[in-house]
Each structure stands twice: as structure tokens, then as C-alpha cells.
Amino acid sequence: MRSTIFSVLLFSTVHAQNVSCPLTPSPFPAAAAYSKITTLPDPLIYLDGKTRVTSPAEWYACRQPEILKFLQYYQYGTYPDHSLETVTATRSGNNVAITVAAGGKTAKFNAVVNLPTAGGTATPSTPAPVVIAIGGIDNNAYLRQGVAVVTFDYSSVAADSNSKTGAFWSLYNGRDIGVLTAWAWGFHRVLDALIITAPEIDSKNVGVTGCSRLGKAALAAGLFDTRITLTMPMSSGIQGLGPYRYHALSGQDETLENSKSGAPWWTNSVLGTFVNQAERLPYDAHTIAMALAPRALIIDQGQNDPYVNSKGTSVVVYPAARLIYDWLGVADKIGVAIRTGGHCDMSGYTNVLSFVLKVFKGTATSRDYNNLSPWTAMKEAYPWSSQIPPR
């Protein structure tokens, strides 16, 4: 993915779509420039605060790129320009050694390939879909269904601290980039390595997953690489799919303030300027979710999770994001899987499995992944729903 370039233009005309995009403010406004919004911000209003998206074509041509730009500026940090990187990889059995070179520097880390044991043989002529996972997954449940599982040590890509150690920082130390973005970069470079070394894996059917802070990273991985077919954030919470607004519906009241205090390195320094004024953010977690469309997103949440705001994700973020997925004609590509249990239960991976198989293999499922039980959608959180234009 190329680095985002911010330029001052009155209009950027997208000739292929015959759509003219309004100006994105440059530089981006500071936190104090935004008014407080207590409900989820209207995703169809551009960052100029006045122009509305009028069609799905305009969403894809103009608004989605704008969202990806400002999410990098306000939350994740600017994703490194992959065109300036060279990725090489070697494989010995199930082990893959990955080397990334950029700017005269070199970074190395490893991944482990687990090929399916049933559900179809993975061969170069019949490659298996894959889920790239960090932090542990129920491997066998997926392998039995013909889905490969590839893992890598996220801490070797970037330490979960402010130490700036690991493969990512070997190349990009000194940049204002969050560790979630560094881990997302790790997912992407693993995919590059699989394309080079693992012809038994279908690089056009790729899922990414992790739980808690690693679920936040999986979300970022899906966001910044369109090769990701399916994004699977598990119990991801604030800075993932937990709402910055409506943060106290369940769990321990996870907020921007306490997450930035506890792990400021997850995201960039600009997000910290919204501490104690999160209602000024020009987006919320629903904006991140819908920016993945038309690609697939499945969200796992535990009803009794003592940490993250599962209810907020389920009744505020998910239904708001689904409105835009539906407007774009891809409502079948988003789902939520609410289960009993708590935080990062391994059962979460089987909880979403039939959705995964539907996306990867077209396998029919009787599970209703739009079922919010035991809760109901909090429609007052997204009052702009009545203003969505016709397709």
C-alpha cells in the first residue's frame, strides 16, 4: 500500500467513476476545531462538515479514501509505503523466515504454517483459504474444515510497549505510528511471504484475527490491505470496535482516557489530543468497521466480558456499520456473533466459524449473524439512519 499523500485541492475528480470529491481539509483540523457530538457521527458527511455522500459510487471513490486518510492521521499513524519495501521469504517445512528491506535497513521475523487436516487437501492446484492469527486460535477447528492457519509472534514484529523494539521498528523507528499499525504491517508481510513460499494457500481467501489488543491489530490489518478478504476482530474494545461514545454500556467502562493511559503506544500521539474530549472525534468505531466494505467483517463478543464494552459494540457500532454495508449492497458481508462467556474465550473462534466458511467456501449457514440477542439495537445512537440516500 502506498503512503497517503495529503494535498490541497479544491476537488479531486475521479474520472473512472465520474465523481468529484470535495476538499479534505489540509492540514487536518486539531481536536478543538471539532464540535462535540454525543451520538455516532454521520459517516456520510465529509470531513468538511457540510458535504454529504450521495451514492455508493461516491462512497467508494471519495468518502472511503478520506476515511482511510484521516484514520491514519488521527489514530493509527501513516502506514509505511510498501512500494519502497522488498520482501523475501524462505520456507523449511512449516516454518517461514521473512525478511523485509527498506531504506537501507533490514528486518526479520518468522511465521508458522498449519495446513488443513480435513475438509479438502491443500495443494497448489487446490489451495486452502487461510486465517492469519496472532495470540492463539482454535487451530484444529479450522484445520478440520479445510482452512489453513498461519501464526506469527507479534512481539517479534513490535513489542507491546513503548520500547520501539522488533522488526517493524528496525525499519521505522522515529515515526509517530501506533503498535497496532506495526502489528497490522506484520500480518501483511506474512501474507507477502505466503504468496512467495506457500502455493498450497489461497492468497485470495485470507482472514486475519486476534483478540483484545490483538483484535484491534487484526482490525487495522483488514483496514489497510485490500487483499484481506475477511476481518475477524475478537473482543477488540476501545481503539478497535468498542465505541468511544456510549462506552459504559458493559464491561469495565473502557474509555479513550484509560486505554491511552494504560497503553499509549497502541495508537499515535494525535489520538491522545482527544483525551477528555472524545466526543470531538470526527468518527467512531462504526466508521472503522464500514471502511472495510465491501470486504467481509465478522465480530465476536462475549456477553459477560468483564473488560471490553461488548454491548456497545453489539448494539451501537455493529448495527450502525451494517446500515452502510446494506446501503452498499453487501449486508451479507458483515455479521456479529454474540456468545455467552467472557473475554477472549477460545470458543469465540468456533462461534464465528460458520460465517468464515460462508465467506471462504460459500457454505450455507442457518446461523443468524444479525441476531443481537440478548440485546437490541440502540437506534438513537445513529439518528442519521433516516437520512441515508437511496442507492
Side-chain angles (χ1 to χ4, degrees), residues 50-337:
K50 57 186 180 182
T51 311
R52 287 188 64 82
V53 179
T54 59
S55 69
E58 185 183 346
W59 169 273
Y60 287 125
C62 303
R63 179 57 172 161
Q64 187 180 57
E66 180 181 71
I67 290 170
L68 292 173
K69 290 177 185 178
F70 72 63
L71 286 176
Q72 290 176 81
Y73 180 78
Y74 287 119
Q75 178 157 324
Y76 292 104
T78 301
Y79 190 95
D81 186 348
H82 181 48
S83 71
L84 302 179
E85 298 175 338
T86 300
V87 179
T88 56
T90 58
R91 178 177 168 191
S92 177
N94 291 340
N95 299 306
V96 179
I98 305 163
T99 301
V100 186
K105 301 175 182 178
T106 301
K108 297 183 178 183
F109 67 106
N110 300 308
V112 177
V113 176
N114 301 277
L115 294 175
T117 54
T121 304
T123 68
S125 59
T126 58
V130 63
V131 171
I132 306 173
I134 54 176
I137 180 177
D138 187 349
N139 287 17
N140 289 334
Y142 283 72
L143 298 177
R144 287 193 297 265
Q145 294 296 330
V147 178
V149 176
V150 174
T151 60
F152 68 97
D153 177 9
Y154 62 90
S155 65
S156 68
V157 172
D160 187 11
S161 71
N162 206 30
S163 66
K164 306 290 186 181
T165 57
F168 180 84
W169 298 117
S170 296
L171 301 177
Y172 300 115
N173 201 357
R175 300 192 187 188
D176 187 11
I177 297 175
V179 165
L180 300 182
T181 306
W183 291 335
W185 176 90
F187 278 102
H188 304 154
R189 303 295 73 82
V190 168
L191 178 54
D192 293 338
L194 294 176
I195 292 171
I196 295 168
T197 66
E200 315 96 314
I201 286 177
D202 182 358
S203 61
K204 298 187 184 304
N205 268 312
V206 180
V208 290
T209 196
C211 192
S212 195
R213 67 196 186 284
L214 308 181
K216 308 178 204 294
L219 179 65
L223 193 65
F224 295 122
D225 194 329
T226 56
R227 296 177 300 172
I228 306 303
T229 314
L230 170 62
T231 303
M232 305 160 56
M234 321 291 281
S235 305
S236 61
I238 284 283
Q239 301 182 54
L241 290 182
Y244 291 114
R245 301 158 176 88
Y246 305 99
H247 50 75
L249 296 181
S250 70
Q252 63 179 354
D253 192 11
E254 188 185 31
T255 63
L256 173 61
E257 289 72 33
N258 56 40
S259 64
K260 259 302 187 183
S261 174
W265 52 83
W266 285 344
T267 43
N268 69 2
S269 64
V270 180
L271 187 60
T273 65
F274 287 87
V275 166
N276 297 321
Q277 51 181 350
E279 290 176 338
R280 294 188 190 275
L281 280 166
Y283 65 95
D284 212 305
H286 69 307
T287 320
I288 302 173
M290 60 185 64
L292 290 163
R295 294 172 295 126
L297 169 65
I298 181 63
I299 306 163
D300 171 78
Q301 297 294 152
Q303 294 174 35
N304 301 312
D305 193 320
Y307 304 113
V308 305
N309 182 8
S310 284
K311 185 175 182 180
T313 297
S314 301
V315 307
V316 174
V317 173
Y318 164 73
R322 185 181 174 86
L323 285 170
I324 299 302
Y325 265 77
D326 183 53
W327 178 62
L328 296 172
V330 289
D332 62 324
K333 294 292 185 68
I334 186 172
V336 64

